[in-house]
Amino acid sequence: MHLAYPAVLAALLFCTGLYGVLARRNAILVLMSVELMLNAVNLNLVAFDVWLRDTLHSGQALTLFTIAIAAAEIGIGLAIVLMVYRNRGSSDIDRLRDTAEGPDPAGPAGDEASAMAQEAAQKTEAAA
Amino acid sequence: MSHLAAAAGQGFLSPTGVEIAFLLVGIATLGAAVVTVTTKQLVHAALWLVVALGGLAVEYLLLTAEFIAWVQVLIYVGSVVVLLLFGLMLTRAPIGRSPDADSGNRWAALTVAVAAAAALVWVVVDAFRTTWIDLDGPVQGSTKVSGEILFQHWVLPFEALSVLLLAALVGAIVLSRKSDSDSAKDKEQR
């Protein structure tokens, strides 16, 4: 098999994941795109391992380790997303701007006020 | 040079059956991945991710790495996607179409992704134009081979990885546990 097939497929998958990470708003969709990028790297590792006929099979061992680390990453990432959702009532990453340095000093304060209002609205909703 | 000898009998214009299968499955995988990152329905994105990851498992099989293929099916398709679906459910993701699934910088993201894809594909094709993978010969990714290399040469990283997984487990429990003040507040509200 020509080596260019898996290499090109991995490059295209990686860039698809890159687009998803940059363009998606929901944090869980961002995590899905990260999984796509990790899988592209795994495909590269397997293809080059089979090509080089490594006696230690470093590529395949590293692929297994990457899969395990990705599983750990998705667990921790989802726990963080759920905690953010519980505290803020939203998992949209472009609304989490509390530590952003706004262009004007009134920007962060306004954001904070709207976040507080949102939180209060959510609390009344929960109480109702 | 065995690679040159292998290259002599092969060419772009006479693809083998494995290459054709790899190409077709690759197109399906890439299409599913593109739908995953562009669809407006959040649950559909997770289900298309299953197609993309399953297609990648088939690609591993075609590359003779069968143990990795089944690990991929077990861990990614079996548990990671289920975790993602649970996450979508617990954050009350809308079931239907959500018009604001993409943020405002999607055109900048598209530019960056297309530029990166063009650069990477150009470099990769230029670098590996005359290299062929020799898929014949002894199987390289069977369970026997993988087990032997994993427990002969990679034991220490393997054990370190189990410690990492334990730490991730504990961390996820600590993060997702409700603290005492939270549960007291909840009781008050009820």
Side-chain angles (χ1 to χ4, degrees):
Chain A
M1 188 195 294
H2 202 284
L3 184 58
Y5 289 112
V8 167
L9 177 64
L12 290 177
L13 271 180
F14 185 85
C15 293
T16 311
L18 183 66
Y19 168 77
V21 167
L22 292 177
R24 286 302 203 174
R25 174 171 279 163
N26 191 313
I28 294 179
L29 291 179
V30 172
L31 281 176
M32 284 184 203
S33 310
V34 171
E35 293 301 312
L36 275 179
M37 292 166 87
L38 282 168
N39 269 288
V41 176
N42 283 349
L43 181 61
N44 253 341
L45 283 172
V46 170
F48 280 90
D49 181 84
V50 175
W51 173 48
L52 292 171
R53 295 193 163 271
D54 187 8
T55 47
L56 283 185
H57 282 296
S58 344
Q60 296 192 14
L62 210 55
T63 306
L64 289 173
F65 294 161
T66 317
I67 290 176
I69 290 174
E73 170 252 331
I74 206 81
I76 295 285
L78 276 176
I80 292 174
V81 169
L82 284 183
M83 202 171 67
V84 166
Y85 178 80
R86 207 187 293 146
N87 286 335
R88 302 298 172 100
S90 158
S91 58
D92 294 350
I93 47 176
D94 55 353
R95 281 197 206 144
L96 305 172
R97 291 179 177 267
D98 283 357
T99 59
E101 296 184 4
D104 53 335
D111 268 345
E112 203 174 343
S114 70
M116 298 265 284
Q118 199 181 13
E119 207 171 335
Q122 189 206 353
K123 266 183 194 159
T124 52
E125 192 184 35
Chain B
M1 290 296 287
S2 62
H3 300 313
L4 287 180
Q10 305 177 42
F12 272 119
L13 295 179
S14 59
T16 59
V18 178
E19 281 177 334
I20 294 172
F22 192 93
L23 199 64
L24 291 178
V25 177
I27 289 170
T29 306
L30 191 64
V34 168
V35 175
T36 302
V37 297
T38 53
T39 180
K40 300 245 180 261
Q41 311 200 23
L42 306 187
V43 179
H44 286 197
L47 297 180
W48 279 107
L49 189 67
V50 173
V51 178
L53 298 177
L56 268 171
V58 176
E59 305 281 45
Y60 292 152
L61 275 182
L62 290 175
L63 285 169
T64 70
E66 50 186 270
F67 182 66
I68 303 228
W70 298 123
V71 168
Q72 167 96 359
V73 170
L74 273 177
I75 293 189
Y76 270 113
V77 182
S79 69
V80 166
V81 173
V82 171
L83 264 182
L84 284 169
L85 280 171
F86 264 98
L88 281 175
M89 197 178 70
L90 288 173
T91 56
R92 299 198 195 117
I95 297 294
R97 301 172 69 82
S98 51
D100 59 344
D102 289 332
S103 65
N105 52 8
R106 61 173 300 198
W107 292 110
L110 194 63
T111 313
V112 170
V114 168
L120 277 177
V121 168
W122 177 54
V123 167
V124 157
V125 169
D126 198 38
F128 301 114
R129 198 184 294 143
T130 54
T131 42
W132 272 266
I133 303 176
D134 187 15
L135 289 179
D136 302 328
V139 184
Q140 300 196 50
S142 65
T143 312
K144 185 168 180 286
V145 175
S146 298
E148 278 173 359
I149 57 120
L150 207 57
F151 290 108
Q152 278 179 8
H153 306 289
W154 298 93
V155 175
L156 196 61
F158 187 83
E159 297 298 330
L161 200 67
S162 58
V163 177
L164 175 101
L165 278 177
L166 181 68
L169 183 72
V170 173
I173 291 174
V174 168
L175 276 178
S176 56
R177 198 177 56 126
K178 282 194 170 183
S179 63
D180 292 340
S181 60
D182 275 357
S183 52
K185 222 186 291 174
D186 275 0
K187 267 180 206 155
E188 231 170 72
Q189 281 176 352
R190 281 194 199 113

